[in-house]
Each structure stands twice: as structure tokens, then as C-alpha cells.
Amino acid sequence: MKIVQRVEDIVNRSLLPPGTRIYASGTAAAPQVLFRQLAADTSIQDIELIGALYQGDVDALFSRETCRRITHRVIFNSRHTREAVNRGWAKYQLMHLSNISTQVRGYLKPTVAMISVAGPDNGGNYSLGTTVEGVMDAVETARANGGRVLAERNAKMPFVLGDTVPEAWIDYLLDTDYPLPARPIDPPDEAERRIGRIIAGLFVEDRCTIQYGIGKVPEAVTDAILDKGVKDLGIHTELFGDAMRRLVDTGVVTNRYTRERNKFSISTLFLAGSQSGYDWLDYNSAVQSRPSDYTNSILTIAAQPHMVAINSAIGVDLHGNIWADSMKAWEIYSGVGGQCDFLRGANLSPGGVPIIALKSMTAKGISKIVDMCPEGITTTAIAADPVVIVTENGAFDPRGLSISERVVGIAHLASEPFKTQLLQKIYDSPAFHHAKGALTDGNPKGFHPYETL
């Protein structure tokens, strides 16, 4: 390994000639100094850059001018890449998080891995920091193809235990020191708190294994779990944030009853609201990183006892189609990510519950519960996926119900006046498979209103 003093010595046309295909660390581990040099060095032409959910000071890399000489393949959009993807300057790679490793090794085949690291430890190994997903696969594939591994060692990057890279695998290393991207979360509002209470009250019990990400609903779920007083939870997730840290710190999470019974929580991505959250991760044996073909494997998820997987969505239609990656047919908001992996894995888990949690309306007062999904939209869960749907108005469990019973139950998740409009549409339409028989004065089958909890 060669330690370089200048970024120009690690990012240049000589090391990155035309035809180079780079896979880069994403999320909070995006190598920002290397990225800025990629954007600044206009002699670097006709290369590809692959990665997911880039955070930090990376906007210059996705400008229209930079995209003319660098072909971006974005696996999951962030606010930094959204314009480039939706204006056609960058390509959207549609894939499950569980499938990244397979695609990297078998199809994308990078010749350069551009990574962030921390370390070394006493064994001479470097942590991949806050992002693993397909990074180790990229490192191994690049080396197998005679390529290079370029690393940025940020002094503020935590050494997250788990997958590590031997020093001998790194060709060039640049030392940097800058703040990691932080994602502070505002306090949940009352609708989000109601969602949290519903989920914890109905579905989270002692010895469950849980999965959720970051945001106001996860914060509300955490509050409700702590209020309920459950114990011996396990964490097997794709994204570990401050909400889950609270569960670990209070002793609610022990991981004694997960499949591995390993006493530590497992994730493939880590995001914190401040540097103190990243410092907490440093050499912390309460958490460990794993690649996404493990964390998001449906088989691994299904083997967890009482897997409660909680994910969000942009919208739901009356049949139960769910979309979370796009807002219009051609407009990609985020990405497929790992939602499908965890919904389907949780459904196969003994006692597991796959959950989609969303507020019933947007901030502009538009209903997220609609009669049919937008034309041409991609769905992250289809109607045949037996997913529990939760809004602030209640929870609907479709398992064991007919499609006519489902449409009525889903309509009850909406707020007024949309709920009445949807029920009237169901009553008037012959297309809902005799749904009139499911319309009663009481609560429909499978629906648990918030007021009864």
C-alpha cells in the first residue's frame, strides 16, 4: 500500500484512464475528497461510477458538465443525485439491495474500488466504516480483474466491526479529516406518534427481531417500544441509525434470541444525526457490519424469529400495490433498496410481520391511499405480498382475506374526506369483486382502528 499526500496522486487520468469502471462507497462513507477531485479533473474522461445513496459534499460530481464525461450508475437516489437521474444525465440501476453483490461480481465488474476506511486495527486490517453493502465485492472483483483499490482514510470515520480489508489489498491511501454527513431527525408529529403506538402495541413483543431505518416514524416506533417495556429484542437491519442506538443503550436490545444469538446488532449501512453517533460506533462490539447479500438475504431474514420489518412508502392503492422508489412513472425519488427483501423475508419468518408504515396524507393534504397506483409506476410490493399497512388511522392486516375484503380494509386507512370517497367508489364499481358484501357498519375484517388500541 502506498500512502499519498495529495489527492491528485490518487485521482488522475493515469490511474483512471478511459474505460475505467469504479464502484464507490456510498451513504456516509462516500469518499468526498476523492469525489471532488473526480469532478475537478476534467482530463478524466469516459469512465463509469457506480454506487448508492451518496451523502455529503458531492454535488459537483453530479452536475450536468461532469455527467458528460462520467457515466453514473446510481443504485439508490439521494437528494444529490436525484436531478441527474431524472434529467437523464445519470443512469438508474434498478436492483434489490440483496442483489448488489451478485450484480457487482457477475455483471458490473468494476476495475477500481474507491472506498472509505478506518484503521488499521492490531491485525493490520481496515474497516469499511459506515458502508458495506457491495463494497467488499467491488474490492475483490477489482483485484481479481487486475484493477486497483483507492482508499480515503477519514480521521472521523468510525472503525465499525465486521467486514475488514487487509492492508495488502489497498493500493493507494489518502488521509483526510472532515465531518461525516449527519442526518438529524425532527421530533415526530402526532400522526407519526400514533403510527408508532399502533406498531409497537400490535406487533412488537419480547424477543422480536426488528428492522427499520431512519426518520420520524422510526423515532416514534422507538419511543413506543420504550413506553411498552418490551425486552430482549434483536436487530437485523439494513440501516442502523440513532433510533436503534437508543434501544441498544437502554438495554432493550440484547440479540439473545436472533438466529445467530451473537449479542450484537447487524446492519450493512450506518447513519447518525451527529458526529457523536459515529463516535459511538467506533470499535463498539454492540454492532457489526455485514454485506448486503447477507443482511438483506430473504433466507437470512426469514430465519430470524418474529421478524418485524417496518418500511415506508410513497403510496398504496386499494388492491395493496405499494410504491416507494418513484413518484411518477418516470421520476425516480429513491430506489428499490431493501424494502422487498425485508417484506418478503419477514413474511417467511416464524411469527414475522412485514409492515409498511406511512401517514395517510402528504403535507399538501393529498391522500397517499388511492384507488389505483399511478400509470406506469414501479411497485416495491405487489398486491399478492401479504403486507400489513399502518397509517395514523389504524392497521390493516390482509392475511387470509379476499381481494374484496382487502379493498375495504385499505380504504379505512385513509383520512376523511378520502376514506368516504374511496368507500363510495368501491360501492359503485363492479370491478372490486363483490366488495359490497365487505361493507359493514362496523370495522372491516383485518382493520384495527387506532381508537381501539
Side-chain angles (χ1 to χ4, degrees):
M1 180 178 74
K2 180 179 181 181
I3 299 179
V4 299
Q5 303 301 317
R6 304 182 312 152
V7 67
E8 294 88 349
D9 296 329
I10 193 172
V11 178
N12 54 61
R13 184 180 175 87
S14 176
L15 290 180
L16 304 173
T20 297
R21 176 172 278 190
I22 304 169
Y23 189 98
S25 302
T27 323
Q32 296 181 42
V33 174
L34 305 188
F35 276 7
R36 288 197 293 272
Q37 182 62 19
L38 268 181
D41 189 343
T42 57
S43 71
I44 299 174
Q45 301 273 344
D46 300 323
I47 67 170
E48 292 192 358
L49 181 66
I50 309 159
L53 196 61
Y54 296 121
Q55 303 288 316
D57 183 9
V58 299
D59 288 341
L61 191 57
F62 296 93
S63 69
R64 186 171 188 177
E65 293 73 22
T66 306
C67 289
R68 288 192 177 104
R69 56 188 179 81
I70 297 177
T71 299
H72 291 287
R73 296 185 180 273
V74 178
I75 297 171
F76 198 100
N77 255 343
S78 70
R79 64 182 180 86
H80 305 285
T81 62
R82 201 166 288 135
E83 180 182 21
V85 167
N86 290 316
R87 287 177 174 257
W89 308 341
K91 300 178 184 294
Y92 172 49
Q93 300 290 117
L94 187 67
M95 69 180 77
H96 302 295
L97 201 61
S98 60
N99 192 233
I100 291 178
S101 294
T102 299
Q103 296 242 7
V104 167
R105 291 180 180 274
Y107 302 95
L108 295 172
K109 298 180 179 179
T111 56
V112 169
M114 189 173 283
I115 65 177
S116 289
V117 298
D121 61 13
N122 290 338
N125 298 307
Y126 288 77
S127 168
L128 291 170
T130 59
T131 296
V132 179
E133 29 103 344
V135 176
M136 185 62 76
D137 301 282
V139 168
E140 294 177 351
T141 302
R143 294 183 73 248
N145 293 336
R148 296 184 175 92
V149 178
L150 313 180
E152 179 178 306
R153 178 170 57 183
N154 186 346
K156 292 184 172 60
M157 180 65 69
F159 193 109
V160 180
L161 300 176
D163 272 18
T164 56
V165 178
E167 181 178 294
W169 290 13
I170 300 173
D171 295 290
Y172 295 91
L173 178 71
L174 175 72
D175 280 312
T176 61
D177 189 348
Y178 57 84
L180 295 177
R183 287 287 302 274
I185 305 299
D186 293 331
D189 62 20
E190 180 54 27
E192 289 148 349
R193 292 195 179 281
R194 285 170 64 124
I195 292 171
R197 295 182 198 119
I198 293 168
I199 291 173
L202 290 176
F203 305 114
V204 181
E205 304 292 342
D206 294 354
R207 303 186 182 183
C208 282
T209 308
I210 58 172
Q211 174 264 327
Y212 50 77
I214 62 171
K216 292 193 283 186
V217 168
E219 292 290 338
V221 171
T222 298
D223 290 339
I225 288 173
L226 292 172
D227 290 342
K228 185 175 180 179
V230 295
K231 58 183 182 297
D232 282 328
L233 296 185
I235 292 177
H236 181 96
T237 188
E238 67 182 23
L239 178 58
F240 187 103
D242 290 340
M244 286 185 163
R245 173 189 169 184
R246 288 200 284 140
L247 295 179
V248 173
D249 282 343
T250 55
V252 172
V253 170
T254 64
N255 291 294
R256 293 169 57 198
Y257 298 96
T258 58
R259 185 183 87 162
E260 297 84 358
R261 300 187 180 185
N262 49 26
K263 308 299 191 298
F264 54 79
S265 302
I266 291 175
S267 182
T268 195
L269 302 169
F270 300 86
L271 270 176
S274 65
Q275 185 60 44
S276 65
Y278 292 117
D279 295 340
W280 180 86
L281 291 167
D282 194 46
Y283 288 100
N284 188 340
S285 62
V287 292
Q288 284 204 10
S289 63
R290 294 290 187 273
S292 59
D293 63 346
Y294 177 81
T295 59
N296 287 61
S297 164
I298 292 175
L299 299 178
T300 305
I301 298 165
Q304 305 300 328
H306 306 285
M307 184 77 221
V308 180
I310 305 163
N311 290 270
S312 62
I314 293 172
V316 177
D317 74 7
L318 290 178
H319 278 154
N321 294 301
I322 295 163
W323 52 101
D325 64 332
S326 55
M327 304 181 75
K328 299 175 183 177
W330 304 107
E331 186 176 332
I332 306 302
Y333 181 78
S334 54
V336 171
Q339 182 179 115
C340 306
D341 302 326
F342 273 93
L343 293 180
R344 291 174 180 173
N347 181 57
L348 296 172
S349 160
V353 188
I355 299 172
I356 286 292
L358 73 166
K359 293 168 73 171
S360 66
M361 293 189 294
T362 69
K364 295 181 179 180
I366 300 171
S367 181
K368 296 182 182 180
I369 314 299
V370 298
D371 62 330
M372 63 179 67
C373 60
E375 184 177 2
I377 203 87
T378 59
T379 54
T380 47
I382 63 173
D385 289 317
V387 177
V388 174
I389 306 168
V390 179
T391 72
E392 72 273 17
N393 299 314
F396 175 67
D397 189 340
R399 293 175 290 188
L401 302 182
S402 70
I403 195 168
S404 59
E405 293 165 330
R406 288 181 180 212
V407 298
V408 175
I410 292 174
H412 278 72
L413 294 169
S415 294
E416 295 292 1
F418 304 107
K419 171 184 168 182
T420 296
Q421 293 169 2
L422 290 170
L423 291 172
Q424 187 65 51
K425 184 178 288 287
I426 292 167
Y427 185 84
D428 291 340
S429 173
F432 284 113
H433 308 276
H434 310 290
K436 288 183 181 180
L439 290 164
T440 65
D441 292 333
N443 293 320
K445 292 181 180 179
F447 179 70
H448 304 271
Y450 174 78
E451 291 75 16
T452 64
L453 298 178

Tab-separated table of all heavy atoms in Angstrom, residues 10-24 35 38 43-51 69-73 107-114 138 141-143 145-150 171:
chain	number	residue	atom	x	y	z
A	10	ILE	N	-3.814	10.243	-6.339
A	10	ILE	CA	-4.666	9.056	-6.252
A	10	ILE	C	-5.835	9.121	-7.232
A	10	ILE	O	-6.379	8.098	-7.637
A	10	ILE	CB	-5.177	8.886	-4.794
A	10	ILE	CG1	-5.799	7.504	-4.564
A	10	ILE	CG2	-6.156	9.959	-4.418
A	10	ILE	CD1	-6.124	7.246	-3.099
A	11	VAL	N	-6.209	10.333	-7.643
A	11	VAL	CA	-7.285	10.523	-8.626
A	11	VAL	C	-6.714	11.325	-9.787
A	11	VAL	O	-6.539	12.538	-9.712
A	11	VAL	CB	-8.500	11.249	-8.010
A	11	VAL	CG1	-9.575	11.471	-9.074
A	11	VAL	CG2	-9.070	10.452	-6.845
A	12	ASN	N	-6.414	10.626	-10.884
A	12	ASN	CA	-5.851	11.276	-12.069
A	12	ASN	C	-6.103	10.393	-13.286
A	12	ASN	O	-6.528	9.242	-13.160
A	12	ASN	CB	-4.353	11.549	-11.895
A	12	ASN	CG	-3.590	10.296	-11.517
A	12	ASN	OD1	-3.568	9.314	-12.270
A	12	ASN	ND2	-2.958	10.297	-10.338
A	13	ARG	N	-5.845	10.938	-14.448
A	13	ARG	CA	-6.123	10.220	-15.691
A	13	ARG	C	-5.244	8.973	-15.828
A	13	ARG	O	-5.659	7.973	-16.426
A	13	ARG	CB	-5.912	11.143	-16.891
A	13	ARG	CG	-6.276	10.517	-18.237
A	13	ARG	CD	-6.031	11.507	-19.369
A	13	ARG	NE	-6.258	10.894	-20.671
A	13	ARG	CZ	-7.435	10.828	-21.281
A	13	ARG	NH1	-8.503	11.350	-20.693
A	13	ARG	NH2	-7.552	10.257	-22.465
A	14	SER	N	-4.054	9.001	-15.246
A	14	SER	CA	-3.160	7.856	-15.355
A	14	SER	C	-3.722	6.635	-14.618
A	14	SER	O	-3.695	5.517	-15.142
A	14	SER	CB	-1.782	8.207	-14.795
A	14	SER	OG	-0.928	7.075	-14.819
A	15	LEU	N	-4.236	6.862	-13.412
A	15	LEU	CA	-4.808	5.755	-12.638
A	15	LEU	C	-6.240	5.441	-13.057
A	15	LEU	O	-6.730	4.331	-12.818
A	15	LEU	CB	-4.762	6.081	-11.145
A	15	LEU	CG	-3.390	6.097	-10.471
A	15	LEU	CD1	-3.520	6.437	-8.989
A	15	LEU	CD2	-2.678	4.760	-10.641
A	16	LEU	N	-6.901	6.428	-13.672
A	16	LEU	CA	-8.300	6.254	-14.083
A	16	LEU	C	-8.442	6.579	-15.569
A	16	LEU	O	-9.069	7.569	-15.958
A	16	LEU	CB	-9.211	7.164	-13.246
A	16	LEU	CG	-9.126	7.004	-11.721
A	16	LEU	CD1	-9.952	8.068	-11.023
A	16	LEU	CD2	-9.578	5.609	-11.296
A	17	PRO	N	-7.881	5.765	-16.432
A	17	PRO	CA	-7.938	6.034	-17.873
A	17	PRO	C	-9.340	5.782	-18.422
A	17	PRO	O	-10.192	5.188	-17.746
A	17	PRO	CB	-6.935	5.027	-18.442
A	17	PRO	CG	-6.974	3.884	-17.478
A	17	PRO	CD	-7.162	4.503	-16.131
A	18	PRO	N	-9.606	6.223	-19.644
A	18	PRO	CA	-10.900	5.939	-20.269
A	18	PRO	C	-11.203	4.442	-20.226
A	18	PRO	O	-10.322	3.610	-20.418
A	18	PRO	CB	-10.715	6.436	-21.707
A	18	PRO	CG	-9.694	7.520	-21.582
A	18	PRO	CD	-8.746	7.063	-20.505
A	19	GLY	N	-12.458	4.130	-19.948
A	19	GLY	CA	-12.883	2.730	-19.837
A	19	GLY	C	-12.886	2.203	-18.421
A	19	GLY	O	-13.376	1.099	-18.169
A	20	THR	N	-12.361	2.991	-17.459
A	20	THR	CA	-12.360	2.569	-16.061
A	20	THR	C	-13.791	2.499	-15.541
A	20	THR	O	-14.609	3.378	-15.813
A	20	THR	CB	-11.548	3.559	-15.200
A	20	THR	OG1	-10.188	3.549	-15.630
A	20	THR	CG2	-11.617	3.195	-13.732
A	21	ARG	N	-14.064	1.471	-14.784
A	21	ARG	CA	-15.375	1.333	-14.139
A	21	ARG	C	-15.142	1.293	-12.633
A	21	ARG	O	-14.527	0.362	-12.119
A	21	ARG	CB	-16.112	0.090	-14.628
A	21	ARG	CG	-17.431	-0.149	-13.927
A	21	ARG	CD	-18.232	-1.271	-14.563
A	21	ARG	NE	-18.969	-0.792	-15.745
A	21	ARG	CZ	-19.889	-1.522	-16.369
A	21	ARG	NH1	-20.141	-2.768	-15.990
A	21	ARG	NH2	-20.536	-1.025	-17.402
A	22	ILE	N	-15.641	2.308	-11.922
A	22	ILE	CA	-15.410	2.460	-10.482
A	22	ILE	C	-16.671	2.068	-9.722
A	22	ILE	O	-17.778	2.465	-10.082
A	22	ILE	CB	-15.069	3.919	-10.126
A	22	ILE	CG1	-13.867	4.417	-10.936
A	22	ILE	CG2	-14.811	4.070	-8.630
A	22	ILE	CD1	-13.661	5.928	-10.821
A	23	TYR	N	-16.477	1.298	-8.642
A	23	TYR	CA	-17.547	1.140	-7.651
A	23	TYR	C	-17.090	1.876	-6.401
A	23	TYR	O	-15.974	1.655	-5.918
A	23	TYR	CB	-17.810	-0.320	-7.316
A	23	TYR	CG	-19.056	-0.500	-6.466
A	23	TYR	CD1	-20.263	-0.863	-7.047
A	23	TYR	CD2	-19.034	-0.285	-5.087
A	23	TYR	CE1	-21.416	-1.003	-6.285
A	23	TYR	CE2	-20.175	-0.411	-4.318
A	23	TYR	CZ	-21.360	-0.776	-4.925
A	23	TYR	OH	-22.509	-0.907	-4.168
A	24	ALA	N	-17.939	2.772	-5.876
A	24	ALA	CA	-17.539	3.618	-4.755
A	24	ALA	C	-18.436	3.407	-3.549
A	24	ALA	O	-19.639	3.119	-3.681
A	24	ALA	CB	-17.574	5.090	-5.161
A	35	PHE	N	-14.037	12.224	-4.552
A	35	PHE	CA	-15.129	12.608	-5.445
A	35	PHE	C	-14.940	14.027	-5.977
A	35	PHE	O	-15.171	14.294	-7.160
A	35	PHE	CB	-16.463	12.508	-4.711
A	35	PHE	CG	-17.059	11.120	-4.704
A	35	PHE	CD1	-16.365	10.026	-5.190
A	35	PHE	CD2	-18.342	10.910	-4.194
A	35	PHE	CE1	-16.923	8.755	-5.183
A	35	PHE	CE2	-18.904	9.655	-4.201
A	35	PHE	CZ	-18.197	8.571	-4.688
A	38	LEU	N	-12.455	13.983	-8.685
A	38	LEU	CA	-13.048	13.418	-9.903
A	38	LEU	C	-13.803	14.493	-10.668
A	38	LEU	O	-13.749	14.562	-11.899
A	38	LEU	CB	-14.009	12.285	-9.549
A	38	LEU	CG	-13.502	10.855	-9.512
A	38	LEU	CD1	-14.644	9.906	-9.153
A	38	LEU	CD2	-12.872	10.445	-10.827
A	43	SER	N	-9.578	16.199	-17.181
A	43	SER	CA	-8.862	15.275	-18.067
A	43	SER	C	-9.343	13.838	-17.893
A	43	SER	O	-9.078	12.978	-18.737
A	43	SER	CB	-7.356	15.340	-17.805
A	43	SER	OG	-7.022	14.744	-16.557
A	44	ILE	N	-10.043	13.567	-16.800
A	44	ILE	CA	-10.597	12.226	-16.569
A	44	ILE	C	-11.877	12.119	-17.384
A	44	ILE	O	-12.867	12.804	-17.116
A	44	ILE	CB	-10.866	11.986	-15.069
A	44	ILE	CG1	-9.566	12.081	-14.277
A	44	ILE	CG2	-11.525	10.627	-14.849
A	44	ILE	CD1	-9.747	12.005	-12.768
A	45	GLN	N	-11.860	11.265	-18.382
A	45	GLN	CA	-12.957	11.184	-19.349
A	45	GLN	C	-13.382	9.737	-19.549
A	45	GLN	O	-12.606	8.800	-19.387
A	45	GLN	CB	-12.489	11.738	-20.709
A	45	GLN	CG	-12.024	13.167	-20.702
A	45	GLN	CD	-13.159	14.151	-20.911
A	45	GLN	OE1	-14.241	13.772	-21.354
A	45	GLN	NE2	-12.916	15.412	-20.595
A	46	ASP	N	-14.660	9.592	-19.902
A	46	ASP	CA	-15.202	8.301	-20.365
A	46	ASP	C	-14.977	7.182	-19.349
A	46	ASP	O	-14.495	6.097	-19.679
A	46	ASP	CB	-14.579	7.923	-21.708
A	46	ASP	CG	-14.855	8.961	-22.782
A	46	ASP	OD1	-15.976	9.512	-22.780
A	46	ASP	OD2	-13.954	9.243	-23.588
A	47	ILE	N	-15.324	7.455	-18.104
A	47	ILE	CA	-15.292	6.422	-17.074
A	47	ILE	C	-16.700	6.248	-16.518
A	47	ILE	O	-17.592	7.053	-16.786
A	47	ILE	CB	-14.307	6.767	-15.937
A	47	ILE	CG1	-14.810	7.984	-15.145
A	47	ILE	CG2	-12.901	7.021	-16.486
A	47	ILE	CD1	-14.037	8.240	-13.873
A	48	GLU	N	-16.897	5.185	-15.740
A	48	GLU	CA	-18.183	4.945	-15.091
A	48	GLU	C	-17.996	4.944	-13.578
A	48	GLU	O	-16.958	4.517	-13.067
A	48	GLU	CB	-18.783	3.607	-15.526
A	48	GLU	CG	-19.206	3.582	-16.983
A	48	GLU	CD	-20.048	2.360	-17.315
A	48	GLU	OE1	-20.267	1.508	-16.421
A	48	GLU	OE2	-20.488	2.254	-18.480
A	49	LEU	N	-19.030	5.429	-12.877
A	49	LEU	CA	-19.024	5.430	-11.413
A	49	LEU	C	-20.330	4.818	-10.929
A	49	LEU	O	-21.416	5.268	-11.304
A	49	LEU	CB	-18.875	6.848	-10.869
A	49	LEU	CG	-18.840	6.979	-9.342
A	49	LEU	CD1	-17.594	6.320	-8.765
A	49	LEU	CD2	-18.900	8.446	-8.925
A	50	ILE	N	-20.214	3.803	-10.079
A	50	ILE	CA	-21.364	3.041	-9.603
A	50	ILE	C	-21.447	3.169	-8.088
A	50	ILE	O	-20.430	3.094	-7.397
A	50	ILE	CB	-21.221	1.548	-9.969
A	50	ILE	CG1	-20.909	1.392	-11.454
A	50	ILE	CG2	-22.467	0.763	-9.582
A	50	ILE	CD1	-20.277	0.056	-11.800
A	51	GLY	N	-22.649	3.354	-7.562
A	51	GLY	CA	-22.800	3.406	-6.117
A	51	GLY	C	-24.217	3.768	-5.716
A	51	GLY	O	-25.102	3.947	-6.563
A	69	ARG	N	-18.815	13.540	-18.961
A	69	ARG	CA	-17.597	12.738	-19.087
A	69	ARG	C	-17.534	11.552	-18.126
A	69	ARG	O	-16.681	10.687	-18.272
A	69	ARG	CB	-16.360	13.622	-18.903
A	69	ARG	CG	-16.322	14.389	-17.630
A	69	ARG	CD	-15.155	15.393	-17.592
A	69	ARG	NE	-15.141	16.151	-16.353
A	69	ARG	CZ	-14.646	15.702	-15.203
A	69	ARG	NH1	-14.117	14.472	-15.138
A	69	ARG	NH2	-14.675	16.451	-14.118
A	70	ILE	N	-18.433	11.540	-17.140
A	70	ILE	CA	-18.526	10.402	-16.220
A	70	ILE	C	-19.936	9.825	-16.304
A	70	ILE	O	-20.925	10.542	-16.099
A	70	ILE	CB	-18.230	10.829	-14.772
A	70	ILE	CG1	-16.801	11.344	-14.641
A	70	ILE	CG2	-18.452	9.653	-13.814
A	70	ILE	CD1	-16.450	11.864	-13.261
A	71	THR	N	-20.030	8.555	-16.627
A	71	THR	CA	-21.330	7.882	-16.667
A	71	THR	C	-21.636	7.348	-15.274
A	71	THR	O	-20.942	6.464	-14.773
A	71	THR	CB	-21.331	6.728	-17.679
A	71	THR	OG1	-21.075	7.248	-18.984
A	71	THR	CG2	-22.665	6.001	-17.672
A	72	HIS	N	-22.667	7.915	-14.673
A	72	HIS	CA	-23.060	7.491	-13.335
A	72	HIS	C	-24.103	6.377	-13.419
A	72	HIS	O	-25.065	6.469	-14.190
A	72	HIS	CB	-23.652	8.657	-12.550
A	72	HIS	CG	-22.650	9.701	-12.183
A	72	HIS	ND1	-21.705	9.503	-11.211
A	72	HIS	CD2	-22.446	10.959	-12.663
A	72	HIS	CE1	-20.960	10.586	-11.090
A	72	HIS	NE2	-21.373	11.489	-11.976
A	73	ARG	N	-23.910	5.348	-12.633
A	73	ARG	CA	-24.904	4.289	-12.465
A	73	ARG	C	-25.330	4.315	-11.005
A	73	ARG	O	-24.608	3.846	-10.125
A	73	ARG	CB	-24.331	2.931	-12.867
A	73	ARG	CG	-23.967	2.841	-14.351
A	73	ARG	CD	-23.503	1.445	-14.750
A	73	ARG	NE	-23.175	1.390	-16.168
A	73	ARG	CZ	-24.067	1.133	-17.127
A	73	ARG	NH1	-25.326	0.895	-16.813
A	73	ARG	NH2	-23.693	1.100	-18.397
A	107	TYR	N	-21.834	-8.850	-13.311
A	107	TYR	CA	-22.279	-8.025	-14.425
A	107	TYR	C	-21.605	-6.644	-14.468
A	107	TYR	O	-21.142	-6.205	-15.512
A	107	TYR	CB	-23.803	-7.860	-14.371
A	107	TYR	CG	-24.521	-9.186	-14.405
A	107	TYR	CD1	-24.914	-9.816	-13.232
A	107	TYR	CD2	-24.763	-9.839	-15.623
A	107	TYR	CE1	-25.552	-11.053	-13.254
A	107	TYR	CE2	-25.396	-11.072	-15.659
A	107	TYR	CZ	-25.785	-11.675	-14.467
A	107	TYR	OH	-26.402	-12.903	-14.502
A	108	LEU	N	-21.537	-5.958	-13.344
A	108	LEU	CA	-20.944	-4.622	-13.341
A	108	LEU	C	-19.420	-4.683	-13.406
A	108	LEU	O	-18.783	-3.870	-14.059
A	108	LEU	CB	-21.397	-3.854	-12.092
A	108	LEU	CG	-22.906	-3.569	-12.039
A	108	LEU	CD1	-23.296	-2.994	-10.690
A	108	LEU	CD2	-23.322	-2.624	-13.160
A	109	LYS	N	-18.817	-5.629	-12.709
A	109	LYS	CA	-17.388	-5.942	-12.779
A	109	LYS	C	-16.497	-4.691	-12.758
A	109	LYS	O	-15.807	-4.373	-13.726
A	109	LYS	CB	-17.094	-6.769	-14.029
A	109	LYS	CG	-17.806	-8.117	-14.039
A	109	LYS	CD	-17.488	-8.908	-15.298
A	109	LYS	CE	-18.190	-10.253	-15.287
A	109	LYS	NZ	-17.917	-11.037	-16.524
A	110	PRO	N	-16.469	-3.972	-11.650
A	110	PRO	CA	-15.625	-2.772	-11.576
A	110	PRO	C	-14.142	-3.106	-11.674
A	110	PRO	O	-13.699	-4.166	-11.217
A	110	PRO	CB	-15.968	-2.195	-10.203
A	110	PRO	CG	-16.445	-3.364	-9.403
A	110	PRO	CD	-17.167	-4.242	-10.379
A	111	THR	N	-13.395	-2.185	-12.241
A	111	THR	CA	-11.932	-2.338	-12.307
A	111	THR	C	-11.241	-1.508	-11.226
A	111	THR	O	-10.038	-1.674	-11.012
A	111	THR	CB	-11.412	-1.902	-13.685
A	111	THR	OG1	-11.839	-0.556	-13.944
A	111	THR	CG2	-11.951	-2.818	-14.773
A	112	VAL	N	-11.996	-0.636	-10.574
A	112	VAL	CA	-11.468	0.169	-9.472
A	112	VAL	C	-12.505	0.206	-8.350
A	112	VAL	O	-13.698	0.399	-8.617
A	112	VAL	CB	-11.138	1.614	-9.921
A	112	VAL	CG1	-10.858	2.515	-8.717
A	112	VAL	CG2	-9.946	1.621	-10.866
A	113	ALA	N	-12.055	-0.002	-7.119
A	113	ALA	CA	-12.894	0.219	-5.944
A	113	ALA	C	-12.411	1.491	-5.263
A	113	ALA	O	-11.225	1.620	-4.951
A	113	ALA	CB	-12.820	-0.967	-4.986
A	114	MET	N	-13.312	2.441	-5.063
A	114	MET	CA	-12.986	3.722	-4.427
A	114	MET	C	-13.721	3.750	-3.098
A	114	MET	O	-14.949	3.882	-3.059
A	114	MET	CB	-13.409	4.872	-5.340
A	114	MET	CG	-12.925	6.243	-4.894
A	114	MET	SD	-13.290	7.515	-6.136
A	114	MET	CE	-12.007	7.200	-7.357
A	138	ALA	N	-16.828	-5.266	-4.559
A	138	ALA	CA	-16.122	-4.407	-5.513
A	138	ALA	C	-14.614	-4.503	-5.321
A	138	ALA	O	-13.850	-4.555	-6.298
A	138	ALA	CB	-16.594	-2.962	-5.353
A	141	THR	N	-13.532	-7.937	-6.643
A	141	THR	CA	-13.675	-8.023	-8.100
A	141	THR	C	-12.607	-7.197	-8.803
A	141	THR	O	-12.013	-7.637	-9.793
A	141	THR	CB	-15.078	-7.555	-8.525
A	141	THR	OG1	-16.062	-8.353	-7.874
A	141	THR	CG2	-15.263	-7.674	-10.030
A	142	ALA	N	-12.357	-5.985	-8.314
A	142	ALA	CA	-11.326	-5.143	-8.919
A	142	ALA	C	-9.963	-5.827	-8.839
A	142	ALA	O	-9.200	-5.836	-9.823
A	142	ALA	CB	-11.286	-3.782	-8.226
A	143	ARG	N	-9.647	-6.400	-7.706
A	143	ARG	CA	-8.360	-7.069	-7.554
A	143	ARG	C	-8.261	-8.281	-8.483
A	143	ARG	O	-7.227	-8.544	-9.091
A	143	ARG	CB	-8.149	-7.509	-6.105
A	143	ARG	CG	-8.028	-6.345	-5.135
A	143	ARG	CD	-7.739	-6.810	-3.713
A	143	ARG	NE	-6.361	-7.290	-3.605
A	143	ARG	CZ	-6.017	-8.555	-3.391
A	143	ARG	NH1	-6.939	-9.494	-3.282
A	143	ARG	NH2	-4.733	-8.894	-3.284
A	145	ASN	N	-9.623	-8.609	-11.298
A	145	ASN	CA	-9.522	-8.144	-12.683
A	145	ASN	C	-8.254	-7.344	-12.943
A	145	ASN	O	-8.127	-6.691	-13.980
A	145	ASN	CB	-10.747	-7.281	-13.038
A	145	ASN	CG	-12.029	-8.085	-13.073
A	145	ASN	OD1	-11.994	-9.301	-13.282
A	145	ASN	ND2	-13.158	-7.431	-12.863
A	146	GLY	N	-7.319	-7.389	-11.993
A	146	GLY	CA	-6.082	-6.636	-12.173
A	146	GLY	C	-6.240	-5.148	-11.968
A	146	GLY	O	-5.405	-4.362	-12.422
A	147	GLY	N	-7.320	-4.745	-11.282
A	147	GLY	CA	-7.570	-3.326	-11.062
A	147	GLY	C	-6.955	-2.815	-9.775
A	147	GLY	O	-6.040	-3.428	-9.212
A	148	ARG	N	-7.493	-1.688	-9.276
A	148	ARG	CA	-6.902	-1.024	-8.123
A	148	ARG	C	-7.950	-0.732	-7.051
A	148	ARG	O	-9.145	-0.596	-7.348
A	148	ARG	CB	-6.247	0.298	-8.531
A	148	ARG	CG	-5.055	0.149	-9.481
A	148	ARG	CD	-4.419	1.500	-9.731
A	148	ARG	NE	-3.209	1.383	-10.549
A	148	ARG	CZ	-3.202	1.481	-11.868
A	148	ARG	NH1	-4.335	1.703	-12.517
A	148	ARG	NH2	-2.064	1.368	-12.538
A	149	VAL	N	-7.462	-0.618	-5.831
A	149	VAL	CA	-8.288	-0.206	-4.695
A	149	VAL	C	-7.734	1.116	-4.178
A	149	VAL	O	-6.583	1.185	-3.738
A	149	VAL	CB	-8.283	-1.269	-3.581
A	149	VAL	CG1	-9.103	-0.784	-2.384
A	149	VAL	CG2	-8.832	-2.597	-4.104
A	150	LEU	N	-8.538	2.175	-4.288
A	150	LEU	CA	-8.150	3.518	-3.860
A	150	LEU	C	-8.946	3.863	-2.607
A	150	LEU	O	-10.185	3.834	-2.633
A	150	LEU	CB	-8.449	4.540	-4.960
A	150	LEU	CG	-7.989	4.178	-6.381
A	150	LEU	CD1	-8.362	5.293	-7.354
A	150	LEU	CD2	-6.495	3.901	-6.415
A	171	ASP	N	-4.246	-0.352	-2.669
A	171	ASP	CA	-3.120	0.116	-3.477
A	171	ASP	C	-2.665	1.511	-3.069
A	171	ASP	O	-1.466	1.762	-2.959
A	171	ASP	CB	-3.507	0.098	-4.959
A	171	ASP	CG	-3.762	-1.305	-5.459
A	171	ASP	OD1	-2.798	-2.078	-5.566
A	171	ASP	OD2	-4.937	-1.646	-5.710
